[in-house]
Amino acid sequence: MAIERTLSIIKPDAVAKNIIGEVLTKFEKNGLRVVAAKMLHLSRKQAEGFYEVHIGKSFYQPLVDFMISGPVLVQVLEGENAVIMNRNIMGATDPKKADPGTIRADFADSIEANVVHGSDSIDNAKQEIAFFFKPEEIYSR
């Protein structure tokens, strides 16, 4: 099994609900380690740049608006098969379809306010991590 890194964002709805610790606990109890983290309030330019792959889709502008609505915790998670592991821990985008015990099943209110973002591939993880972190900001054993 490969040790990977993936990007995770705890979104404004989770920060507002004061459940950052509960979300981090789910990652850590499932074998992922936080190797970098920073609290940010994304600018419109940052959010638009980060989600530019979705430009033209109906959910793009509402997503950008949501992501700038409050602070987020951006982090790099590391572990065996971290990308897939993180996605399994998060659960389906729609919390009504998420498996019990996943972050979204436990904490999300809707498809839009779904608590977390996670990279969907190793290549995207590398790009997303580089968007927010310099190499020297990431802990390395």
Side-chain angles (χ1 to χ4, degrees):
M1 300 215 166
I3 299 296
E4 298 171 350
R5 288 181 173 165
T6 190
L7 186 85
S8 171
I9 302 175
I10 299 178
K11 294 181 177 183
D13 55 325
V15 174
K17 288 189 220 179
N18 201 32
I19 58 170
I20 292 171
E22 293 176 75
V23 172
L24 290 175
T25 296
K26 285 194 179 272
F27 293 137
E28 291 177 334
K29 283 190 174 183
N30 285 282
L32 296 176
R33 295 181 325 120
V34 177
V35 295
K38 56 175 86 169
M39 183 78 88
L40 303 170
H41 195 140
L42 298 177
S43 68
R44 180 166 298 280
K45 183 177 178 181
Q46 284 175 309
E48 288 173 346
F50 184 74
Y51 288 109
E52 72 181 354
V53 66
H54 299 301
I55 289 175
K57 296 178 182 171
S58 62
F59 62 85
Y60 173 74
Q61 201 57 57
L63 176 60
V64 168
D65 292 341
F66 173 65
M67 291 301 291
I68 66 171
S69 69
V72 298
L73 181 67
V74 182
Q75 61 211 332
V76 179
L77 304 175
E78 182 179 81
E80 289 185 10
N81 298 309
V83 172
I84 291 171
M85 177 67 74
N86 181 38
R87 296 195 64 79
N88 290 339
I89 296 165
M90 289 190 311
T93 304
D94 182 348
K96 293 176 187 168
K97 297 178 182 176
D99 291 337
T102 62
I103 291 169
R104 289 176 173 152
D106 289 353
F107 303 118
D109 295 325
S110 66
I111 291 174
E112 295 79 21
N114 64 9
V115 181
V116 285
H117 163 89
S119 303
D120 63 2
S121 70
I122 293 171
D123 288 339
N124 282 344
K126 289 176 184 174
Q127 291 176 347
E128 291 179 352
I129 289 167
F131 187 89
F132 288 108
F133 294 94
K134 298 174 190 168
E136 62 270 17
E137 295 177 310
I138 303 171
Y139 171 74
S140 191
R141 289 189 202 196

